[in-house]
Amino acid sequence: MKHVALFATVVACLAACGEKPQTMALPRSDAPSYTGVTTGSAGRSAFTAPGWKPGDKTGWEQQLKARQQNSQNDYSRMN
């Protein structure tokens, strides 16, 4: 019985040695969202609204307000 407990302890200790480090795979960008990321073939991302220019903070905020009001507000969608 003593050997079983010892074996279980050794197995538990060795299992902890195999844990992988928990680091992020991609580098994190701390840039504000409104600065935009130009990755498309035309110099802008495929996920940006037409007419919006990267770095336009006021336009970014207006787009967020419009999206929240038009598509994410259940009270306005019911009418």
Side-chain angles (χ1 to χ4, degrees):
M1 188 70 164
K2 203 175 201 184
H3 296 288
V4 174
L6 179 64
F7 180 72
T9 305
V10 169
V11 169
C13 290
L14 290 177
C17 295
E19 186 175 345
K20 296 179 183 177
Q22 298 177 0
T23 58
M24 294 181 62
L26 300 174
R28 183 176 173 189
S29 173
D30 288 336
S33 299
Y34 63 85
T35 59
V37 178
T38 57
T39 58
S41 61
R44 65 181 197 93
S45 175
F47 303 107
T48 57
W52 179 78
K53 294 175 180 54
D56 182 13
K57 184 178 180 179
T58 305
W60 178 266
E61 291 172 349
Q62 289 174 349
Q63 286 288 336
L64 287 178
K65 286 179 186 177
R67 182 173 27 164
Q68 190 274 335
Q69 188 62 35
N70 297 331
S71 63
Q72 295 178 350
N73 187 347
D74 289 335
Y75 292 111
S76 66
R77 289 174 53 187
M78 295 298 288
N79 296 331

